[in-house]
Amino acid sequence: IACVSNIAQCKYVARILEALPKDELDKHTAIVLTDENMLIPLIHSLPESVDKVNVTMGYPLKSAIVYSFIERIIALQAHSRTKDDDVVFSHMDVTGLLSHPYISAVCTQEATELLEEINSNRIISIKASTLARTELLSQLFSRHTSWIELGRYIATVLQLIAHDTDDRLQCEYLRIAHDETMKLIRSIEQCKIDISVEIFTSLLRRHLQTITIPYVGEPLEGIQIMGILETRNIDFKNVIILSMTDATFPGDKTGQSSFIPYNLRAA
């Protein structure tokens, strides 16, 4: 079935599932994702007739909202300056963080007031003292110039948001990101080497991009949602495979991880 976009694929999966007999909407049916980034759109597209779902694949942390939040924090610190004994931040970084779902959910009123103030007065450089309206905001908008300070600062901010958020799923994402950041800090400390902030942020990005968030489910109940690797040696009555294109299935998996140049491998 040809589809114009990934979202259209997910919506069409719902139509296929609705056409199946009710007794087959269980472990007899598998949805195989060749692209792991389609997991969340697919879950949101499942019809109401689907009662139970078992996800047997991990969700990449780099696709979660917590990763974009960490990227914004790193940009905030990179563009921060000291002026007249006060820390100053760029309005682009500040407004980006204040409008981020995490901050707007935890500090709704303060974030809205600050955004209106910045936009109405057209402030370009914002002092840290102006932004320190709550404990979270004062922690978030503080400057750190060494790698160890930056790492612990990121971990502290993630911990504060996780403590104040009511969303269990986001809380889990924040907890995993916090634990992995602390794990990296401890690993670098054990090496007893002094690195620059740029090297630390590069290592942090690389590390977080390899992390997948596992889902816990009942393998003998519900529709099975899985990646290609999980399908080995398993048999199903109905199999729906998404993104069945050359780019993703099989895709050039070897080319991305090989030291042998493409021309040499082709020859």
Side-chain angles (χ1 to χ4, degrees):
I1 298 157
C3 292
V4 294
S5 68
N6 286 345
I7 300 300
Q9 285 191 72
C10 295
K11 297 297 181 188
Y12 202 89
V13 167
R15 191 183 296 184
I16 295 169
L17 293 174
E18 285 171 344
L20 291 175
K22 186 77 176 175
D23 60 337
E24 289 183 17
L25 295 177
D26 58 3
K27 62 183 180 181
H28 297 296
T29 299
I31 302 171
V32 181
L33 302 180
T34 59
D35 180 4
E36 58 192 5
N37 294 319
M38 291 180 67
L39 178 59
I40 299 300
L42 174 67
I43 289 172
H44 284 292
S45 302
L46 293 174
E48 291 182 7
S49 55
V50 175
D51 184 29
K52 292 180 180 177
V53 174
N54 177 45
V55 181
T56 60
M57 60 186 291
Y59 184 66
L61 190 69
K62 64 182 178 182
S63 300
I65 196 170
V66 68
Y67 185 78
S68 69
F69 182 71
I70 292 170
E71 285 286 6
R72 285 193 180 277
I73 290 179
I74 291 169
L76 176 83
Q77 293 297 320
H79 303 147
S80 65
R81 299 287 180 269
T82 304
K83 185 178 179 183
D84 300 331
D85 297 327
D86 204 346
V87 178
V88 176
F89 299 105
S90 165
H91 73 286
M92 294 286 286
D93 298 321
V94 172
T95 52
L97 277 167
L98 288 174
S99 56
H100 194 277
Y102 282 162
I103 303 302
S104 59
V106 176
C107 309
T108 310
Q109 187 179 342
E110 292 84 2
T112 306
E113 287 172 0
L114 284 167
L115 281 169
E116 286 176 2
E117 194 178 311
I118 293 163
N119 292 328
S120 60
N121 297 322
R122 297 184 180 180
I123 305 170
I124 304 300
S125 298
I126 304 137
K127 293 181 179 179
S129 53
T130 309
L131 298 163
R133 302 276 175 96
T134 66
E135 184 193 352
L136 173 60
L137 292 177
S138 61
Q139 285 279 359
L140 178 62
F141 296 109
S142 57
R143 191 171 186 230
H144 303 276
T145 52
S146 70
W147 74 266
I148 188 92
E149 283 181 5
L150 179 64
R152 287 176 177 159
Y153 152 78
I154 291 170
T156 302
V157 170
L158 294 174
Q159 201 168 28
L160 283 170
I161 296 170
H163 182 265
D164 294 336
T165 188
D166 296 325
D167 190 328
R168 285 179 62 193
L169 187 62
Q170 292 303 328
C171 193
E172 184 68 13
Y173 290 166
L174 287 158
R175 187 191 61 77
I176 291 170
H178 169 271
D179 292 349
E180 294 301 331
T181 304
M182 290 306 298
K183 194 184 292 182
L184 178 65
I185 291 168
R186 285 192 288 269
S187 298
I188 298 169
E189 280 182 319
Q190 285 175 2
C191 295
K192 294 179 181 177
I193 55 170
D194 191 25
I195 60 173
S196 66
V197 169
E198 289 76 17
I199 290 173
F200 173 73
T201 54
S202 176
L203 288 171
L204 182 63
R205 282 192 185 102
R206 286 194 178 197
H207 180 57
L208 294 179
Q209 285 171 3
T210 62
I211 305 300
T212 56
I213 302 159
Y215 286 91
V216 179
E218 174 52 61
L220 299 178
E221 287 184 357
I223 289 174
Q224 307 292 303
I225 299 176
M226 54 183 62
I228 299 166
L229 291 175
E230 288 80 14
T231 61
R232 291 177 296 186
N233 299 328
I234 312 178
D235 191 22
F236 298 96
K237 190 170 184 179
N238 308 300
V239 181
I240 304 164
I241 306 179
L242 277 74
S243 300
M244 193 72 167
T245 60
D246 288 342
T248 55
F249 192 87
D252 190 16
K253 298 288 189 292
T254 54
Q256 294 166 9
S257 59
S258 175
F259 288 108
I260 303 169
Y262 172 76
N263 289 340
L264 189 58
R265 280 190 292 117

